[in-house]
Amino acid sequence: MPGFWYPTAIAAVTSVFLGLSGSLLIGATSSSGRANQQKHNQKHDAVFTARSSHSSVSAPSISAPSASTSALDSQSAEQLKQAQKLANQAVKAFRSARLEPKSSLTYTRRERDLWRAALQSLASVPQDSALHHQVAAKQRQYQQLLATAERKVAEADSAFLTQIIEDAGVQPDDAYITLCQIDNPLANAHSGPVKLLNPAHHSVTAKTQVKSQINSQQCRHHQGDELLASAASLIKLPIAIALIQKAAAQGIDLNQKIKIAPGNFTENAEGATLEVGNAYSLREIATQMIAHSDNIATNQLIDYVGRDRLASMLEEMGYVDTYAGHKLVGDLAMPEDPGDRGNQTTTNDLTAMLVNTYSLQAPGEQTLLHALQAQSDRELGYQALQGSGVQWLGEKTGQNDYVIGSALAMQVGQERYALTVAIDYSGDVQGVQEIVSGIANYLKKSDGLMVRR
């Protein structure tokens, strides 16, 4: 199974809460360190380092409110105390998981739920409270520890994906999968982060939101946080999303026409119809890009949205592992100003994009849904679901010399799912098909992804 948990991380996290006597402490002066940067084709997880001094680690002291203390600060102090009580319980669950291996996952689920509850308690402290700086620091610390617990649970819950990959005759190291339930209120209630009090942490919060969503009860993944060898035409999905966001933010009518610049010409996919020099509506350009994988349409939209704006919008939405600024190039024709940085993405980001799109969270996303459903390349996900009793809802495929993959939506019974499957350095159509059908069959036989414990 993909690795998320290292003994060094466990020891480091525990040290934050242990005093000289070994008693459990939540020290106000202790802090979690930074997560290691993910590297392409390497299986790394966040390893938190804790720094604490034997002389400075101690339980936080919050004095009882005096008569002169404002009601706001009195209530804030109680919320902070409650959060620290829950945090202590989370650490106890963490230690129990180490001591009782057979019940480890049960304890880790409890730890995860306690960190969530602690964060909810902290979220009740108003920003204008005198304690908001202390609360913000604890939010950042608890978010890191919550992410670690969520990842360990997600790893255990995603073990079935490895078996499906192997049954398809694909090497697990070459496969990347993310599966999420699109609409499940119980899962969505826990998927978002608690907003940090400091607005400067906006991008971190957005990133945390997508990561938390993927590692919540509504998702499973196998190497979903690792970069694909290439984004191929899968990159057209985030470009379409960025266009829709730009139109919504600036009040742009998607029926507005723009001209296709001659400099954006390159060889195109079969069925693509846009021609340089002609004017088309933004809606038609986006639809052609998704439904017929039109490279010329893609290049024009990169220019229209702008590389810098594309990058900032994707980051603001939390898709920090996706870059979509390099124009697409055919066999011979190079477009003008193609870009000097290659496109990149992960199955986690792509699947989160599908979840948000099918949840209709922004105006104009109906256009994208129609384009996904009009997909002309139906060799991968669509073909895999034929005769399975699972309804195909839409898809975006991508393939080049470095990767083959599909990002699709499907309905199993009454539940909708977003699924992205990719295989590096392969043109293994059958492998993708068998993984998709294997996951569909798993969902039919199981009670879905939600773990109601």
Side-chain angles (χ1 to χ4, degrees):
M1 292 185 293
F4 289 117
W5 194 257
Y6 290 93
T8 53
I10 296 175
V13 173
T14 305
S15 71
V16 179
F17 305 102
L18 297 181
L20 288 173
S21 65
S23 60
L24 290 171
L25 303 171
I26 305 292
T29 57
S30 299
S31 65
S32 295
R34 302 180 185 85
N36 292 332
Q37 293 294 321
Q38 173 191 331
K39 296 182 179 179
H40 179 44
N41 287 336
Q42 293 181 344
K43 295 179 180 178
H44 285 287
D45 183 37
V47 179
F48 299 115
T49 58
R51 294 173 295 167
S52 61
S53 163
H54 285 178
S55 61
S56 63
V57 175
S58 59
S61 176
I62 302 177
S63 302
S66 64
S68 60
T69 303
S70 70
L72 175 65
D73 290 340
S74 176
Q75 182 180 5
S76 298
E78 288 303 315
Q79 292 295 336
L80 184 55
K81 282 184 177 180
Q82 176 64 16
Q84 291 171 165
K85 178 181 178 180
L86 291 166
N88 276 319
Q89 293 174 8
V91 175
K92 290 179 180 178
F94 164 76
R95 297 182 73 190
S96 295
R98 297 177 61 194
L99 296 173
E100 300 182 37
K102 291 184 178 180
S103 301
S104 176
L105 185 56
T106 299
Y107 282 118
T108 303
R109 290 191 197 280
R110 173 165 172 74
E111 179 197 351
R112 175 200 61 193
D113 294 342
L114 286 164
W115 287 127
R116 286 173 176 166
L119 282 162
Q120 290 299 325
S121 184
L122 292 178
S124 301
V125 178
Q127 187 169 350
D128 54 353
S129 167
L131 296 174
H132 82 274
H133 291 299
Q134 185 176 357
V135 168
K138 288 201 171 294
Q139 280 184 310
R140 290 189 289 273
Q141 181 185 36
Y142 293 1
Q143 283 281 10
Q144 288 180 313
L145 296 170
L146 169 61
T148 305
E150 284 181 330
R151 284 183 165 186
K152 189 174 183 183
V153 171
E155 176 188 283
D157 288 341
S158 298
F160 72 94
L161 294 175
T162 305
Q163 187 61 56
I164 290 173
I165 294 167
E166 292 175 346
D167 289 346
V170 176
Q171 290 296 321
D173 286 348
D174 296 332
Y176 305 80
I177 301 173
T178 306
L179 169 69
C180 291
Q181 199 157 321
I182 292 173
D183 36 14
N184 193 307
L186 178 59
N188 291 334
H190 298 300
S191 64
V194 177
K195 185 176 181 181
L196 298 181
L197 296 178
N198 188 345
H201 293 285
H202 172 74
S203 63
V204 176
T205 303
K207 175 180 178 179
T208 304
Q209 185 169 2
V210 170
K211 303 298 184 186
S212 181
Q213 177 184 10
I214 293 298
N215 289 305
S216 72
Q217 298 179 62
Q218 71 183 48
C219 294
R220 305 288 182 267
H221 77 92
H222 171 88
Q223 299 195 134
D225 54 354
E226 296 191 21
L227 296 177
L228 302 180
S230 169
S233 286
L234 294 169
I235 205 63
K236 294 169 183 176
L237 177 61
I239 292 172
I241 289 171
L243 170 67
I244 290 168
Q245 292 290 331
K246 175 184 173 75
Q250 299 180 7
I252 299 170
D253 188 340
L254 290 176
N255 292 318
Q256 174 184 317
K257 289 188 175 183
I258 63 172
K259 184 176 289 187
I260 306 296
N264 283 322
F265 175 80
T266 190
E267 289 86 1
N268 230 329
E270 183 178 352
T273 60
L274 298 192
E275 296 181 0
V276 298
N278 292 343
Y280 304 89
S281 71
L282 291 169
R283 190 186 312 278
E284 184 174 0
I285 295 171
T287 299
Q288 286 290 321
M289 176 178 67
I290 297 297
H292 299 289
S293 209
D294 194 307
N295 293 334
I296 295 174
T298 306
N299 295 344
Q300 186 63 46
L301 289 181
I302 289 174
D303 280 349
Y304 180 77
V305 178
R307 282 193 180 91
D308 291 343
R309 185 65 183 133
L310 257 172
S312 63
M313 290 174 74
L314 291 172
E315 182 176 1
E316 287 166 8
M317 288 185 279
Y319 307 124
V320 295
D321 293 324
T322 297
Y323 176 78
H326 196 286
K327 292 182 179 179
L328 300 190
V329 180
D331 295 331
L332 297 174
M334 175 74 70
E336 291 180 1
D337 188 23
D340 55 8
R341 177 183 173 187
N343 295 328
Q344 66 179 46
T345 193
T346 64
T347 59
N348 277 2
D349 273 6
L350 292 168
T351 307
M353 292 174 197
L354 285 177
V355 169
N356 292 331
T357 297
Y358 277 86
S359 299
L360 295 176
Q361 294 188 3
E365 286 183 336
Q366 195 69 46
T367 295
L368 181 52
L369 294 188
H370 288 154
L372 291 165
Q373 193 169 32
Q375 175 60 235
S376 60
D377 179 7
R378 301 194 171 191
E379 186 179 26
L380 298 178
Y382 178 87
Q383 187 63 39
L385 296 179
Q386 293 307 291
S388 68
V390 172
Q391 183 181 358
W392 176 91
L393 301 177
E395 184 172 12
K396 180 69 197 87
T397 61
Q399 182 176 3
N400 59 20
D401 292 340
Y402 300 97
V403 72
I404 183 171
S406 173
L408 66 122
M410 58 186 174
Q411 183 163 335
V412 183
Q414 298 301 312
E415 305 293 347
R416 296 185 302 167
Y417 296 89
L419 170 65
T420 304
V421 176
I423 305 175
D424 271 353
Y425 305 108
S426 169
D428 190 354
V429 171
Q430 184 176 350
V432 174
Q433 290 175 342
E434 291 188 7
I435 290 173
V436 171
S437 62
I439 291 172
N441 288 333
Y442 173 87
L443 292 172
K444 286 173 59 180
K445 294 176 181 177
S446 67
D447 295 327
L449 296 184
M450 288 297 296
V451 180
R452 295 177 175 86
R453 291 184 176 89

